[in-house]
Amino acid sequence: MGLQSAFENSMELCCPDSQGSSTIWEPGFQDGMSATINPLANPKGGKKLCELCQKPAYLQCTKCRVTYYCDVAHQQADWNSIHNKACELLILIRSPAPLHSWQTDRDHHHMQTQKRLEQLMELSHAESKRRVSEGKYEEALPAAQLSLRCAMDVYGPNAVEHVPAYLLLAEANMGLGFLSQAEGYLSKAQWTTMKTLGCSQVILHQLHRTLGRLYTATGRYRSALLHFANDIFHASEEFGLNSVVSAGGYFLMANVFVKEEKPDIAISLYSQVHQHLVTSIWHMHLSKMVEHYSQRGTQGEQHFDEAQLAEVDQMLNVMLEAQQQGVNTHQSAMLSHSLGQSALLSHSLAMLWFLCRDHSKALDFGRKAAEFSRQCEEQNSLAESIQSLIQEVEKHITIQQIPTIQQ
């Protein structure tokens, strides 16, 4: 299992003493949040296992008293990942129903537990996804594993609802370089979808995209291209051919061709992405967002989560770099087109960072867009939008500097 592999090198802090019980070295985790338990004192059939590695547990969380660990290192890893947010909810989920209660009370307790399990599944999935987007792959693993266990408790074995957790576990393991573990989780996800009639296009698109990334990382480029092609197909079925999601598949295919040293095909695909992503989708979408902000002053809204922001920023920057290379190599007949595309991409990046309140980056890309537009001489309407955005960004920078000047 990927999670166990991630923690198998953790320091073993527990050793039996001469009495057959356990002596624990505790480096003061959260000052009082660890309590030693003696496995021999557990009721028959009530063996306590570590939340992370499923080995015999010697520590108990003193806040919830329903979560156990083999050592302090695993407790701290779980706390940093998800337990700090899930601790109180786990009390309600893992505490048994009163022994002497009516059947209706037990049914109500079961129904409430199921609802809380669903809530915890969503919470842990969101936390794991956030950690993956931040590149904190080891911290993502405990949250992803908890999400998987909740899905199993809610939906039973072999349910398609397990697949999102399998995909997160695969992504985290890929980030840590545990490619064989990642492949194991993806095999489970693929087998689950094959057994599920009417599996959603969204799940299939996400599965094939993750498989494509795995095979890219392992150098199996033919398999990667096949999965990215399936990714594009399922994304197009769900979101449309001209959607941002579908365009992401073209971008990932282009990256494979770059690794295969086939730059002509890659540039062609980057162009395909550009037509769908920037001209038809992102540039228009971001322009509307900026216009909405100008009218209502809603810049404080979160328009993108961290994963979306990282993905969009990477795609736009890679395509901008490709277009700038085109500016250096194209003949005069194509030069104006490349400059125009570079202006659009830079303007899109400027709007993206303006909406995300990074005014320094917004100003930098805005000025690049203005320069590309000036050289192009065909983007008069775009030039006005670029200049308007630059002025708006400069106004915000000035406002931010006022308190500093007064001090």
Side-chain angles (χ1 to χ4, degrees):
M1 297 291 286
L3 183 62
Q4 186 170 343
S5 297
F7 292 103
E8 64 184 0
N9 294 324
S10 298
M11 182 183 296
E12 292 295 329
L13 304 180
C14 177
C15 57
D17 65 16
S18 58
Q19 303 298 319
S21 61
S22 297
T23 303
I24 307 296
W25 173 61
E26 298 183 41
F29 172 67
Q30 294 292 323
D31 292 332
M33 291 194 60
S34 295
T36 304
I37 62 172
N38 187 340
L40 298 178
N42 292 331
K44 187 175 181 180
K47 188 176 182 180
K48 306 301 182 184
L49 300 177
C50 176
E51 186 79 0
L52 297 192
C53 65
Q54 300 301 297
K55 293 179 180 178
Y58 300 93
L59 293 177
Q60 177 187 47
C61 173
T62 57
K63 287 192 70 178
C64 66
R65 295 194 175 277
V66 292
T67 312
Y68 303 89
Y69 303 94
C70 65
D71 59 33
V72 174
H74 280 197
Q75 182 181 12
Q76 186 150 14
D78 193 37
W79 179 266
N80 292 340
S81 175
I82 186 62
H83 194 71
N84 61 334
K85 292 182 172 63
C87 191
E88 293 184 8
L89 192 55
L90 284 168
I91 299 173
L92 301 172
I93 292 172
R94 293 179 177 175
S95 297
L99 291 175
H100 304 291
S101 58
W102 297 100
Q103 182 63 42
T104 53
D105 294 332
R106 291 195 294 272
D107 291 342
H108 177 73
H109 180 270
H110 175 74
M111 183 175 65
Q112 291 298 108
T113 299
Q114 291 297 102
K115 288 182 179 179
R116 288 165 182 151
L117 278 168
E118 291 178 14
Q119 180 185 349
L120 183 57
M121 181 182 69
E122 293 173 2
L123 172 66
S124 53
H125 183 273
E127 279 298 305
S128 181
K129 184 177 179 181
R130 181 173 69 85
R131 306 285 179 163
V132 167
S133 72
E134 294 173 347
K136 299 176 181 177
Y137 302 112
E138 192 163 342
E139 290 184 14
L141 285 170
Q145 190 183 37
L146 180 58
S147 179
L148 177 60
R149 285 201 301 270
C150 290
M152 290 177 174
D153 289 341
V154 173
Y155 299 105
N158 304 319
V160 74
E161 286 81 6
H162 301 178
V163 172
Y166 285 140
L167 297 183
L168 277 175
L169 285 163
E171 288 185 63
N173 276 283
M174 279 192 282
L176 291 168
F178 302 146
L179 300 183
S180 60
Q181 289 90 339
E183 190 162 10
Y185 283 119
L186 289 175
S187 294
K188 291 181 179 180
Q190 197 168 20
W191 177 245
T192 302
T193 59
M194 289 173 63
K195 294 191 298 181
T196 304
L197 294 176
C199 187
S200 76
Q201 300 288 354
V202 173
I203 289 292
L204 293 171
H205 128 68
Q206 292 172 344
L207 171 62
H208 285 290
R209 182 161 297 189
T210 310
L211 281 164
R213 285 174 167 151
L214 172 67
Y215 290 131
T216 301
T218 56
R220 289 176 278 180
Y221 298 131
R222 294 292 93 190
S223 295
L225 289 171
L226 175 62
H227 284 293
F228 285 139
N230 285 324
D231 160 29
I232 293 169
F233 170 77
H234 292 296
S236 300
E237 288 289 298
E238 180 68 22
F239 304 105
L241 184 60
N242 294 335
S243 70
V244 173
V245 180
S246 303
Y250 287 114
F251 175 79
L252 292 168
M253 288 185 78
N255 288 344
V256 174
F257 284 117
V258 169
K259 292 180 181 293
E260 287 191 312
E261 299 183 353
K262 296 179 179 178
D264 292 342
I265 300 176
I267 291 296
S268 175
L269 281 170
Y270 283 145
S271 177
Q272 178 75 4
V273 173
H274 176 269
Q275 293 300 322
H276 292 309
L277 183 64
V278 181
T279 308
S280 302
I281 306 293
W282 276 109
H283 191 267
M284 183 185 302
H285 185 58
L286 291 166
S287 296
K288 288 181 178 179
M289 284 185 169
V290 171
E291 182 181 359
H292 185 265
Y293 163 71
S294 300
Q295 293 174 350
R296 303 188 183 183
T298 55
Q299 193 191 17
E301 294 180 359
Q302 184 178 359
H303 300 285
F304 310 98
D305 63 33
E306 293 172 352
Q308 289 172 330
L309 176 60
E311 185 174 0
V312 175
D313 180 50
Q314 182 195 20
M315 282 193 286
L316 293 176
N317 271 294
V318 168
M319 288 186 290
L320 177 59
E321 183 179 347
Q323 288 297 333
Q324 288 177 305
Q325 291 175 356
V327 169
N328 297 329
T329 58
H330 283 153
Q331 300 297 322
S332 58
M334 292 295 295
L335 179 59
S336 180
H337 174 75
S338 292
L339 287 168
Q341 305 309 311
S342 297
L344 276 171
L345 285 159
S346 299
H347 188 215
S348 295
L349 282 160
M351 292 188 289
L352 175 69
W353 289 112
F354 173 69
L355 291 165
C356 294
R357 289 172 286 175
D358 190 328
H359 298 119
S360 177
K361 286 185 178 180
L363 185 60
D364 183 41
F365 281 111
R367 287 172 175 169
K368 287 181 180 179
E371 179 60 22
F372 286 129
S373 178
R374 185 188 64 78
Q375 296 178 42
C376 178
E377 299 179 353
E378 291 183 3
Q379 300 280 347
N380 293 328
S381 60
L382 181 62
E384 294 175 7
S385 298
I386 293 170
Q387 194 57 41
S388 175
L389 179 63
I390 290 174
Q391 292 172 357
E392 189 73 17
V393 173
E394 289 176 337
K395 182 175 72 174
H396 280 274
I397 291 175
T398 301
I399 293 172
Q400 290 174 343
Q401 291 174 342
I402 289 174
T404 305
I405 294 172
Q406 288 177 343
Q407 290 175 1

